Amino acid sequence: MTLTPPPQRPARSAGRELKEKGLFEAARSVFAEEGFKGATTAEIARRAGVPKANLHYYFPTKEALYRAVTEEILSDWLAAASSFDKNGDPKEAISAYVAAKMDLARADPLGSRIWASEILRGAPVIKDFLETTLADWLASREAIMQRWIAAEKIRPLEPRYFFYMIWATTQHYADFEDQIKALNGGAPLSDEQFQKAKAQAIDTILNGVMP
Amino acid sequence: MTLTPPPQRPARSAGRELKEKGLFEAARSVFAEEGFKGATTAEIARRAGVPKANLHYYFPTKEALYRAVTEEILSDWLAAASSFDKNGDPKEAISAYVAAKMDLARADPLGSRIWASEILRGAPVIKDFLETTLADWLASREAIMQRWIAAEKIRPLEPRYFFYMIWATTQHYADFEDQIKALNGGAPLSDEQFQKAKAQAIDTILNGVMP
DNA sequence: ACGAGAATTGACCGCTTGGTCAAATCTATC
DNA sequence: GATAGATTTGACCAAGCGGTCAATTCTCGT
């Protein structure tokens, strides 16, 4: 579960990380568009501007590359999740969390799509993360929300379904971006439109849960 | 845009529709799991229990089969959408619509997943549907909601982002079923759990929008 | 029972896939 | 400038892909 394994030799070279990064970003875009199975190493190499054989020098298999991409996404997800904990007040915690998830969907739609595609195919690679890290995160935040319910700070509800609504709504703006584009005259949401969508998501969700 | 083209000869045979149906259902499951590109005609034929060459007798290409599957999904989507119009009262209309979308996600998760996968890859096949039929549907329901807002029957908001929340939340239960399973101890939601999730979705969305 | 068209299927084709490999080249240290 | 290791790459391979085809079998109206 190491997210950024330190290089065996610190001064390996300046060019190496750069080339790895290029392949990594190319892989993200291809995996997001085509899914794991649909993605081809030839296309990834083409976008990175290197011969396919060179890709296999840095990442021995397509799955190794995919796993590297995946780990970063899980790490970003957890970073956004931490904004739920920065304030003990329900209204503040929920607002901050929804805002952070909306911002993440806007900043890294590819990551969200790779996640969605991974779940659609049965989550073979991240199943362990879902069953351990994510399940633990959810359980402890459910406990927090149960306390809020007991204190009548929020309406009584099943916290996990509430989190599903937050995840679904925020990630929708990344995963279904092409549908949103088609419904927006062919253009992606402008920054103003997105800010409005974000404010409304926070608002509606808060109104939905505050007593 | 013909959804169910009538057979050229009515009494073609009883077995034909049955075999087509078998291939159709096998295709649905493979497309839902693997996406269009990841799905193989060999696997579809295997699940349907027929030789691959026989599949190509009924559906000349993989894309023809995919398009047939897709059309049914769009038709089902529109059928569920009609429940928004069965009542002029905002509370009733929204409740009925969310309920119908939740029921559809439960009854046909494969359809929802194929839709999601199609959007993720850029919606090449249903783009036309999104830009015409779906955009028209959305525009006219936005007009209805604007009237509700003017009459102060619901809070002021941008109706389209409200619909995105409904779509995202309801379809999440189909598209992310494997994630929900992992967070539910490995088991899919029981009927009771799902009914609770459905009631809460309706409730939270209504509270989010009613003044 | 027979003929014609519908349906079935094993074998096959050209192409793409993920991955390999050996030869060539580059880089850094002494 | 020699040498050892890191890096680069064209050529290649076995497996899998969507789709074709000709030969066969089935079905049914007459």
Side-chain angles (χ1 to χ4, degrees):
Chain A
M1 204 61 76
T2 325
L3 295 179
T4 325
Q8 293 89 333
R9 283 208 258 161
R12 182 93 64 94
S13 98
R16 176 165 191 129
E17 274 96 28
L18 213 76
K19 202 151 197 178
E20 261 179 13
K21 186 79 180 168
L23 283 162
F24 192 87
E25 289 305 320
R28 282 173 56 84
S29 72
V30 177
F31 284 135
E33 284 170 30
E34 314 278 4
F36 175 76
K37 200 165 175 182
T40 70
T41 55
E43 175 62 13
I44 294 170
R46 200 191 57 76
R47 291 197 197 180
V50 304
K52 193 181 58 157
N54 201 357
L55 178 151
H56 282 101
Y57 176 73
Y58 287 97
F59 297 94
T61 66
K62 179 168 121 171
E63 187 171 329
L65 182 46
Y66 181 76
R67 283 182 183 270
V69 164
T70 299
E71 283 191 359
E72 192 199 47
I73 293 168
L74 304 183
S75 162
D76 291 347
W77 194 97
L78 289 172
S82 74
S83 56
F84 185 78
D85 307 315
K86 293 205 174 120
N87 197 304
D89 178 58
K91 194 166 171 177
E92 296 304 318
I94 293 167
S95 302
Y97 182 48
V98 174
K101 287 285 290 172
M102 285 293 282
D103 289 339
L104 180 58
R106 182 72 167 180
D108 183 22
L110 298 188
S112 186
R113 281 178 219 148
I114 293 165
W115 178 305
S117 168
E118 166 71 5
I119 302 294
L120 280 172
R121 73 186 186 117
V125 165
I126 69 168
K127 177 170 274 177
D128 184 66
F129 172 88
L130 298 177
E131 287 171 349
T132 58
T133 311
L134 185 62
D136 291 347
W137 186 93
L138 181 60
S140 71
R141 272 65 186 183
E142 275 185 305
I144 292 172
M145 290 198 71
Q146 293 290 8
R147 266 176 260 134
W148 291 342
I149 292 169
E152 294 185 359
K153 290 182 171 178
I154 62 173
R155 292 178 200 269
L157 46 68
E158 191 65 53
R160 64 176 50 211
Y161 305 139
F162 178 68
F163 278 108
Y164 294 168
M165 188 169 83
I166 291 176
W167 298 345
T169 300
T170 56
Q171 290 168 202
H172 181 84
Y173 285 89
D175 303 343
F176 288 77
E177 189 183 324
D178 283 330
Q179 174 174 306
I180 290 172
K181 253 167 63 181
L183 295 171
N184 194 44
L189 293 191
S190 68
D191 285 342
E192 298 93 282
Q193 287 179 311
F194 183 79
Q195 289 308 320
K196 169 105 195 188
K198 175 181 161 184
Q200 181 170 315
I202 296 170
D203 228 57
T204 307
I205 288 171
L206 273 184
N207 284 330
V209 75
M210 299 306 289
Chain B
M1 205 61 75
T2 326
L3 295 179
T4 326
Q8 292 87 335
R9 283 208 257 161
R12 185 91 65 94
S13 96
R16 175 162 192 132
E17 274 96 28
L18 213 76
K19 202 150 197 178
E20 261 177 15
K21 186 79 180 167
L23 283 162
F24 192 87
E25 289 305 319
R28 283 174 54 84
S29 72
V30 177
F31 283 134
E33 283 170 32
E34 313 277 5
F36 175 76
K37 198 165 174 182
T40 70
T41 56
E43 175 63 14
I44 294 170
R46 201 191 57 78
R47 291 198 198 179
V50 305
K52 192 180 58 154
N54 202 356
L55 178 153
H56 282 102
Y57 177 74
Y58 287 98
F59 298 94
T61 65
K62 179 168 122 172
E63 188 172 328
L65 182 46
Y66 181 75
R67 284 182 183 271
V69 164
T70 298
E71 285 192 356
E72 191 198 49
I73 293 167
L74 303 183
S75 162
D76 290 348
W77 194 97
L78 288 171
S82 74
S83 56
F84 185 78
D85 307 314
K86 292 204 174 119
N87 198 303
D89 178 58
K91 195 167 172 176
E92 295 305 318
I94 293 166
S95 302
Y97 182 48
V98 174
K101 287 285 290 172
M102 285 293 282
D103 289 339
L104 180 58
R106 182 72 167 180
D108 183 22
L110 298 188
S112 185
R113 279 177 220 148
I114 293 165
W115 178 304
S117 168
E118 166 71 6
I119 303 293
L120 279 173
R121 73 186 185 117
V125 166
I126 69 169
K127 176 169 275 178
D128 184 66
F129 172 88
L130 298 177
E131 288 172 348
T132 59
T133 311
L134 186 62
D136 291 348
W137 186 92
L138 181 59
S140 71
R141 272 66 185 182
E142 275 185 306
I144 293 172
M145 291 198 71
Q146 293 290 8
R147 267 177 260 134
W148 290 343
I149 292 169
E152 294 185 358
K153 291 183 170 175
I154 62 172
R155 292 179 201 268
L157 46 68
E158 191 66 52
R160 64 177 49 212
Y161 305 138
F162 177 68
F163 279 108
Y164 294 168
M165 188 170 83
I166 291 176
W167 298 345
T169 301
T170 56
Q171 289 168 203
H172 181 85
Y173 285 89
D175 302 344
F176 288 76
E177 189 182 325
D178 283 329
Q179 174 175 306
I180 290 172
K181 252 168 63 180
L183 295 171
N184 195 43
L189 294 191
S190 68
D191 285 342
E192 299 94 281
Q193 287 179 310
F194 183 80
Q195 289 308 320
K196 168 106 195 185
K198 175 180 162 183
Q200 181 169 317
I202 296 170
D203 229 56
T204 307
I205 288 171
L206 273 183
N207 285 329
V209 75
M210 299 306 289

